[in-house]
């Protein structure tokens, strides 16, 4: 279990709160505006130095404060020993992350604490722009293959150079050749890794979806961003005049996407709201299951308002899936109702009551009765 205790300072309405002892499944309940989502944001901040709600740090930082700090006793690598992990960020832009006495860069931190968020924005996996799906895909490829990040960075650099040459309008043919070769090289490498990741993920996705939602078959189709049977080199040459007119490169991995289909229709047009929630959750949970199989490490799931959109049966199935998984989960809800009684007695579950920015540990479900 990655996180054993947590201290949060100056995140939204959480001035200084502690969560301890943490369990594998942690349920945070409380009224609207009490601070439940803020706790999830604090954990996200610990893994990625930013919130999942908007990109501006000053919105996450408690009003009137100049720095935020989240500190944990953690065993993210599953070594059986807790070590201190802390992230501090100031309003003037300083970010410091330390684990076991060592300073970490953003990539090392992201590798150390793999996080998955399931909230109302997760619907964007079906309804949103392709960028959201590429981010999802790249999270998986990043955690599945250590070489992916180098290829991704190489590709981004080449694309940026090519696009700035296109924007100038006049391209030296030798320069174009150099950057095209670099772009094609990394585009191929990262696309092979993306495809390999999707191929590995598919069985997990199907199994997870079958556990969460019966009677709906969803197919996943990966589209790499160009017609690979024609080859990127030929296509870049073919579309060069158009790229020049537009001032950017139109084809390549920057246009990759995943399509979700139910029968012949897009899942976004075909499924109900609750069904969509279960499909996108299955997608994220499948990532955690695959991550665990490949690395033997657990993911942390931040699930905001789990019961919303779901009827009791589907909510129960969702919890049963989490219970059987290896993940550490932080689940918020307004009314703990079902979420306080759905677990098997042997499951390690803790309830926390959140009230106006304070947290009370209520023990395991059933301790209160
Ligand atoms: N930068 C900030 N500084 C101080 N308080 C803030 C800041 N940003 C938001 N808040 C307040 O923090 C409180 C907690 O918000 P949060 O979104 O965590 O509530 P919640 O318990 O998840 O509520 P809901 O059930 O409505 O989702 C809210 O009252 C909000 O107005
Ligand atoms: Mg909330």
């Amino acid at each position: 279990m990655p996180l054993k205790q947590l201290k949060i300072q100056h995140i939204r309405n959480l001035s200084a709160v502690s969560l301890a002892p943490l369990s594998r499944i942690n349920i945070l309940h409380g009224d609207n505006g009490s601070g439940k989502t803020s706790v999830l944001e604090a954990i996200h901040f610990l893994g990625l130095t930013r919130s999942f709600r908007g990109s501006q740090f000053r919105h996450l930082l408690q009003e009137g404060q100049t720095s935020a700090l989240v500190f944990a006793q953690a065993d993210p690598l599953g070594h059986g020993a807790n070590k201190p992990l802390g992230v501090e960020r100031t309003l003037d832009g300083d970010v410091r992350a330390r684990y076991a006495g060592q300073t970490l860069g953003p990539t090392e931190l992201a590798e150390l604490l793999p996080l998955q968020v399931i909230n109302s924005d997760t619907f964007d996996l079906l309804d949103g722009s392709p960028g959201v799906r590429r981010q999802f895909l790249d999270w998986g490829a990043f955690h599945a293959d250590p070489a992916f990040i180098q290829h991704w960075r190489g590709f981004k650099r080449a694309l940026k150079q090519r696009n700035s040459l296109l924007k100038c309008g006049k391209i030296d043919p030798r320069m174009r050749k150099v950057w095209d070769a670099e772009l094609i090289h990394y585009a191929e490498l990262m696309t092979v890794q993306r495809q390999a990741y999707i191929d590995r993920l598919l069985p997990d996705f199907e199994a997870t979806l079958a556990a969460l939602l019966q009677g709906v078959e969803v197919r996943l189709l990966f589209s790499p961003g160009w017609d690979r049977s024609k080859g990127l080199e030929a296509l870049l040459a073919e579309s060069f005049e158009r790229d020049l007119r537009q001032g950017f490169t139109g084809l390549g991995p920057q246009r990759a996407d995943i399509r979700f289909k139910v029968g012949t229709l897009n899942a976004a047009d075909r499924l109900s709201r609750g069904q969509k929630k279960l499909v996108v959750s299955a997608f994220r949970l499948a990532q955690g299951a695959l991550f665990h199989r490949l690395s033997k490490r657990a993911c942390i799931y931040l699930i905001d308002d789990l019961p919303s959109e779901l009827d009791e049966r589907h909510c129960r199935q969702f919890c049963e899936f989490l219970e059987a998984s290896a993940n550490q989960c932080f689940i918020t809800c307004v009314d703990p109702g079902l979420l306080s009684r759905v677990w098997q007695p042997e499951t390690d579950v803790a309830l926390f009551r959140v009230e106006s920015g304070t947290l009370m540990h209520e023990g395991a479900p059933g301790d209160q009765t």
Side-chain angles (χ1 to χ4, degrees), residues 163-178:
N163 283 348
S164 60
L165 291 174
L166 288 168
K167 271 196 196 85
C168 293
K170 265 172 80 177
I171 295 197
D172 173 350
R174 277 169 313 172
M175 289 292 279
R176 178 181 154 200
K177 214 171 156 193
V178 169

Side-chain angles (χ1 to χ4, degrees), residues 181-195:
E182 180 107 347
L183 186 136
I184 292 161
H185 172 70
Y186 286 117
E188 285 294 345
L189 288 173
M190 70 182 273
T191 299
V192 166
Q193 286 167 312
R194 279 174 167 175
Q195 178 73 62

Side-chain angles (χ1 to χ4, degrees), residues 103-263:
T103 300
L104 302 182
T107 310
E108 291 165 311
L109 183 65
E111 246 172 319
L112 189 69
L113 212 63
L115 296 168
Q116 290 275 359
V117 181
I118 298 178
N119 63 1
S120 52
D121 292 343
T122 312
F123 285 93
D124 288 352
L125 276 172
L126 290 181
D127 299 335
S129 68
V132 178
R133 290 181 286 278
R134 281 195 294 276
Q135 229 176 36
F136 167 90
L137 186 58
D138 292 346
W139 184 99
F142 168 73
H143 285 286
D145 188 338
F148 180 77
I149 186 82
Q150 310 297 343
H151 302 154
W152 184 86
R153 285 192 183 131
F155 171 74
K156 287 269 161 180
R157 192 179 54 235
L159 181 67
K160 202 169 154 204
Q161 289 291 344
R162 189 178 195 270
N163 283 348
S164 60
L165 291 174
L166 288 168
K167 271 196 196 85
C168 293
K170 265 172 80 177
I171 295 197
D172 173 350
R174 277 169 313 172
M175 289 292 279
R176 178 181 154 200
K177 214 171 156 193
V178 169
W179 287 113
D180 277 8
E182 180 107 347
L183 186 136
I184 292 161
H185 172 70
Y186 286 117
E188 285 294 345
L189 288 173
M190 70 182 273
T191 299
V192 166
Q193 286 167 312
R194 279 174 167 175
Q195 178 73 62
Y197 180 70
I198 284 284
D199 292 345
R200 276 168 143 172
L201 185 68
L202 271 176
D204 282 296
F205 172 66
E206 280 163 15
T208 312
L209 189 61
L212 299 191
L213 176 67
Q214 292 75 44
V216 176
E217 240 177 72
V218 180
R219 284 178 299 122
L220 287 190
L221 306 169
F222 171 59
S223 96
W226 76 97
D227 181 350
R228 290 189 81 206
S229 68
K230 292 191 177 156
L232 192 52
E233 188 174 2
L235 288 173
L236 284 180
E238 217 173 82
S239 57
F240 180 68
E241 289 305 322
R242 195 184 59 210
D243 285 356
L244 200 57
R245 271 197 311 279
Q246 291 177 337
F248 62 86
T249 309
L251 294 171
Q254 74 281 15
R255 302 296 293 270
D257 201 359
I258 305 169
R259 298 208 174 84
F260 293 77
K261 293 270 185 189
V262 178

Side-chain angles (χ1 to χ4, degrees), residues 12-13 31-38 53 59 61-63:
R12 299 206 191 261
N13 71 336
D31 295 344
N32 294 138
S34 56
K36 305 177 299 294
T37 304
S38 306
R53 266 203 284 186
H59 295 165
L61 178 68
Q62 187 161 55
E63 228 174 319

Side-chain angles (χ1 to χ4, degrees), residues 24-83:
R24 195 170 70 74
I25 310 253
N26 302 278
I27 296 161
L28 301 145
H29 68 97
D31 295 344
N32 294 138
S34 56
K36 305 177 299 294
T37 304
S38 306
V39 174
L40 304 190
E41 287 183 283
I43 299 170
H44 195 269
F45 174 79
L46 181 67
L48 291 160
T49 76
R50 59 179 164 76
S51 168
F52 50 80
R53 266 203 284 186
S55 56
Q56 294 215 32
F57 172 64
R58 65 188 177 85
H59 295 165
L60 179 72
L61 178 68
Q62 187 161 55
E63 228 174 319
Q65 297 297 333
T66 52
S67 71
L69 171 71
V70 179
F71 177 83
Q73 285 296 336
D75 179 21
L77 304 173
H79 290 161
N82 296 333
K83 295 193 174 146

